[in-house]
């Protein structure tokens, strides 16, 4: 796909032909070569500007939203505004408003999401919007004869901070489940601040009833100040947590399934479709909300967190597993036909009410994905026996896992496991289809981490481990690790003072070397974010994108094995995922070191079919489509 060698492409892209000549002359005058041309390893990471919505940040992920072949970015931010950034394939990104994509959390009132912004007050009336996790009622030009009054019905306790602009009265709830009714009248310009409790509690529904239908012309909702079309309306946000991107319905365009919270147990006051997960049908980056309840994607009382995909029964359709918390059973939605699901978690033994995280890993390479679970009761491997999952407790310390990272670190063809934990990291080595605990420090890996990702940083053919806060641990020739690369310009506090962290590596500019986004949350709950581009070196590389059969177009579960003079490497679709709570990064990455050709490349598709190619040139992004037997 690409013919110029990587350093030349990168420099041409950055300086242009004329600027490149000047750069080379200055290098010759300096009597040296750039480090990344020297033929050895390189640690050069260049900071790049990137604007991500960090207000109430929950997750950062990578996917190709619009199907143009360039990797894009997304965030989840609970009930706050999210980022959707389209990549240009050269390392740059442009922000696309979620309303433009059709992904507003409120279908009726786009722009209702929580934020640190304020709408423009340019018309007389009452503006109602979320700011800093507080519901603001702002009177503007009320002295023009407006006397807007009504009720606001809450399903949680509330506190009120009023500067005198409104008169109000509160009728407290009767019993634990009764509503709280606030009656109000706007008297003059100013604010009344309403906070559902316990703060912040943005996701719960709030129903307004205006006393006069004519006042709908003078009430403005959300950041875009949209008037309601009737005097009774409900403000309701989704509390988005995990996102999975995959073609579930229609053509091969990417659809979106969102796992959100349970509105803190308030699902019984919502309309039926709101008691289901969010599902959006994609059309080259434009999305239409479908009725997820009719698709069988009922959330019930699940305060969903992590969501993942796998074809657990080998029928060619991807299935959905969702982690619930607060002693609520996890859910496994079996896809029975395109876009229609049934919860079978109880029947298959995966409905345990244990908060935690998971990864799908075919431990014994038998073609059936197994579930690796890290929860409050330790680490478990649920082996897929076809018609049930068989639970096996794993040896190792009991810790709270932040992230499970998968890779074939030792080149033996099966997946090994690193678990990042603030309590104590864990490492499970896969030997002959079973997982054995090894203390990470015995391999030179850190004792504690907030986030981790496997990545061959220098493309030398040996996979390395990237962690927060300790940096990158490079793998040596004897399969141990050395801490040899710290993130530039990232001044992390001690690990005990970091609340949370995210790390995702991806090839933003299609040059064969992975770039990285880091996000760290301070004790004050604010986030520090950074985006670094890798400037590369003389090592060669290969990236693979698989196009699977209909029903599993992203080839989830497929395995690729690459053999070169550097050695053998194996990766599975999904192992490069950096998102904490979702799935969308399906590209596979292979560092080839000095090898300029791939001797053999073998794809093992989820149905067991194999395809092989030989004598492939290095330094390309290779697309391989499923060839029906």
């Amino acid at each position: 796909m690409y013919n110029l060698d990587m350093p030349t492409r990168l420099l041409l892209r950055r300086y242009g032909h004329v600027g490149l000549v000047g750069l080379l002359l200055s290098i010759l005058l300096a009597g040296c070569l750039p480090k990344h041309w020297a033929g050895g390893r390189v640690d050069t990471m260049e900071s790049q500007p990137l604007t991500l919505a960090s207000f109430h940040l929950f997750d950062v992920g990578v996917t190709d939203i619009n199907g143009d072949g360039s990797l894009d970015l997304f965030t989840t931010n609970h009930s706050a505004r999210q980022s959707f950034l389209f990549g240009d394939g050269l390392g740059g990104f442009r922000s696309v408003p979620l309303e433009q994509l059709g992904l507003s959390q409120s279908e009726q009132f786009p722009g209702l999401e929580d934020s640190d912004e304020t709408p423009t007050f340019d018309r007389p009336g009452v503006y109602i919007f979320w700011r800093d996790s507080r519901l603001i009622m702002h009177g503007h030009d009320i002295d023009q004869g407006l006397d807007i009054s009504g009720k606001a019905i809450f399903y949680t306790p509330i506190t009120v901070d009023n500067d005198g602009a409104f008169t109000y009265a509160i009728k407290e709830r009767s019993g634990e489940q009764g509503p709280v009714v606030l009656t109000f009248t706007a008297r003059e310009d100013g604010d009344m601040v309403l906070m559902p409790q316990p703060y912040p509690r943005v996701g719960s529904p709030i129903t307004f009833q205006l006393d006069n239908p004519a006042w709908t012309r003078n009430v403005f909702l959300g950041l875009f100040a949209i008037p309601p079309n009737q005097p009774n309306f409900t403000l309701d946000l989704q509390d988005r947590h995990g996102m999975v991107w995959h073609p579930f319905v229609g053509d091969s365009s990417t659809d979106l399934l969102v796992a959100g919270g349970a509105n803190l147990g308030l699902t019984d006051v919502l309309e039926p479709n709101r008691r289901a997960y969010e599902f959006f049908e994609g059309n080259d980056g434009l999305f239409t909300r479908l009725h997820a309840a009719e698709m069988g994607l009922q959330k019930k009382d699940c305060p969903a967190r992590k969501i993942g995909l796998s074809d657990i029964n080998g029928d060619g359709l991807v299935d959905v597993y969702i982690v619930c918390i607060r002693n609520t059973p996890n859910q496994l939605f079996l896809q029975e036909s395109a876009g229609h699901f049934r919860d079978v978690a109880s029947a298959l033994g995966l409905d345990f009410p244990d908060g935690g995280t998971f990864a799908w890993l075919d431990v014994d390479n038998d073609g059936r994905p197994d579930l690796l679970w890290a929860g409050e009761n330790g680490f478990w491997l649920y082996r897929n026996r076809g018609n049930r999952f068989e639970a096996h407790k794993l040896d190792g310390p009991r810790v709270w896992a932040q992230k499970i990272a998968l890779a074939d670190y030792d080149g033996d063809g099966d997946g090994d496991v690193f678990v990042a934990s603030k309590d104590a990291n864990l490492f499970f080595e896969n030997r002959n289809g079973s997982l054995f605990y090894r203390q990470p420090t015995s391999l030179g890996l850190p004792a504690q981490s907030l986030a981790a990702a496997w990545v061959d940083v220098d493309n030398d053919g040996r996979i390395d481990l990237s962690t927060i806060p300790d940096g990158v641990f490079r793998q040596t020739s004897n399969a141990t690790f050395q801490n040899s690369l710290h993130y530039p310009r990232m001044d992390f506090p001690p690990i005990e003072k970091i609340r949370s962290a995210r790390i995702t590596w991806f090839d933003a500019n299609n040059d064969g070397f992975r770039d990285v986004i880091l996000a760290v949350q301070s004790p004050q709950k604010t986030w520090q974010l950074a985006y670094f581009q890798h400037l590369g070196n003389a090592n060669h590389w290969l990236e693979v994108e698989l196009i699977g059969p209909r029903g599993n177009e992203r080839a989830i579960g497929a395995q690729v094995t690459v053999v070169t003079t550097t050695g053998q490497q194996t990766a599975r679709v999904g192992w490069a995922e950096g998102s904490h709570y979702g799935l969308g990064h399906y590209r596979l990455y292979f560092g080839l070191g000095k090898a300029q050709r791939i001797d053999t490349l073998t794809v093992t598709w989820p149905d067991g079919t194999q395809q092989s190619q030989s004598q492939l040139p290095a330094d390309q992004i290779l697309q391989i489509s499923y060839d029906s037997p």
Side-chain angles (χ1 to χ4, degrees), residues 6 60 66 106 125 139 187 205 216 219 222 240 244 255 308 333 393 395 406 420 500 570 598 611:
M6 186 284 304
V60 179
N66 56 351
S106 173
R187 296 296 188 189
T216 57
V219 171
R240 289 174 175 170
V244 291
D255 305 318
F333 291 98
K393 183 76 162 57
D395 292 332
L406 305 177
S500 192
T570 297
I598 294 92
Q611 292 174 224

Side-chain angles (χ1 to χ4, degrees), residues 241-244 257-259 277 305-309 320-323 358 580-583:
H241 293 148
M243 288 183 163
V244 291
L257 174 59
V258 187
Y277 294 108
R305 289 300 186 269
K306 182 175 174 61
I307 179 172
L309 304 178
V320 181
Y321 193 65
I322 298 178
V323 175
F358 71 93
H580 260 52
Y581 298 101
L583 181 67

Side-chain angles (χ1 to χ4, degrees), residues 243-474:
M243 288 183 163
V244 291
W245 306 78
H246 192 273
F248 290 98
V249 300
D251 57 19
S252 61
S253 292
T254 298
D255 305 318
L256 173 61
L257 174 59
V258 187
N263 278 300
L264 302 169
L266 300 173
T267 52
D268 57 330
V269 304
L270 300 171
E271 51 88 18
N273 193 56
R274 182 58 183 87
R275 296 197 292 270
Y277 294 108
E278 290 183 279
F279 188 93
F280 297 87
E281 182 178 7
N283 181 14
D284 294 332
L286 299 177
F287 294 87
T288 302
R289 187 187 295 269
L290 301 186
H291 292 284
E294 298 175 3
M295 301 169 67
L297 294 167
Q298 299 281 359
K299 74 191 309 336
K300 301 179 182 177
D301 291 328
C302 175
R305 289 300 186 269
K306 182 175 174 61
I307 179 172
L309 304 178
S310 186
D311 180 4
I312 65 157
N313 58 355
D315 65 352
L317 299 173
V318 294
D319 311 303
V320 181
Y321 193 65
I322 298 178
V323 175
C324 303
I325 60 171
R326 303 195 190 103
N327 205 36
T328 305
N330 292 347
Q331 297 174 314
L332 173 60
F333 291 98
L334 191 72
Q335 190 172 184
E336 298 183 305
S337 61
H340 293 277
F341 298 85
R342 176 170 56 95
D343 187 357
V344 298
S346 177
L348 296 183
L350 296 181
D351 63 336
F352 42 84
D354 179 17
T357 189
F358 71 93
W360 289 106
L361 173 65
D362 186 357
V363 174
D364 49 10
N365 285 332
D366 65 353
R368 293 192 296 257
D370 310 301
L371 183 76
L372 178 63
W373 176 258
E376 298 169 354
N377 297 315
F379 291 79
W380 294 78
L381 178 64
Y382 288 82
R383 289 189 180 272
N384 188 343
R385 300 304 189 193
N387 58 355
R388 61 188 174 89
F389 283 82
E390 185 179 87
H392 297 268
K393 183 76 162 57
L394 297 179
D395 292 332
R398 180 176 165 180
V399 301
W400 182 254
Q402 266 81 28
K403 176 68 175 178
I404 299 175
L406 305 177
D408 176 18
Y409 97 102
D410 51 5
D412 64 356
D414 51 32
D416 307 293
V417 181
F418 183 86
V419 179
S421 172
K422 195 173 184 178
D423 302 322
N425 293 336
L426 281 76
F427 183 84
F428 292 101
E429 185 175 17
N430 192 338
R431 295 186 224 138
N432 301 317
S434 296
L435 296 177
F436 295 89
Y437 169 72
R438 294 184 66 179
Q439 191 174 48
T441 54
S442 69
L443 296 170
L445 295 172
Q448 300 166 275
S449 301
L450 270 298
W454 292 103
V455 54
D456 186 353
V457 172
D458 51 8
N459 281 349
D460 67 351
R462 292 192 293 264
I463 198 159
D464 313 305
L465 186 74
S466 170
T467 69
I468 291 177
D470 292 312
V472 176
F473 292 76
R474 275 209 176 89

Side-chain angles (χ1 to χ4, degrees), residues 55-56 75-84 98-99 102-114 130 202-203 234-241 243 258-261 263 274 278 280 289:
F55 182 72
H56 280 194
T75 70
T76 60
N77 301 64
H78 297 286
S79 291
R81 290 184 65 77
Q82 305 163 248
S83 288
F84 296 95
L98 65 167
E99 294 80 20
L103 296 177
S104 175
Q105 289 199 35
S106 173
E107 189 172 17
Q108 187 176 6
F109 306 115
L112 185 64
E113 294 86 2
D114 192 13
W130 288 101
V202 179
T234 298
L235 306 185
D236 175 31
L237 294 171
Q238 301 284 343
D239 193 15
R240 289 174 175 170
H241 293 148
M243 288 183 163
V258 187
N263 278 300
R274 182 58 183 87
E278 290 183 279
F280 297 87
R289 187 187 295 269

Side-chain angles (χ1 to χ4, degrees), residues 54-55 80-81 113-118 130-133 223:
S54 60
F55 182 72
R81 290 184 65 77
E113 294 86 2
D114 192 13
S115 75
D116 53 3
E117 301 179 56
T118 300
W130 288 101
R131 186 183 67 201
D132 295 329
S133 303
L223 196 60

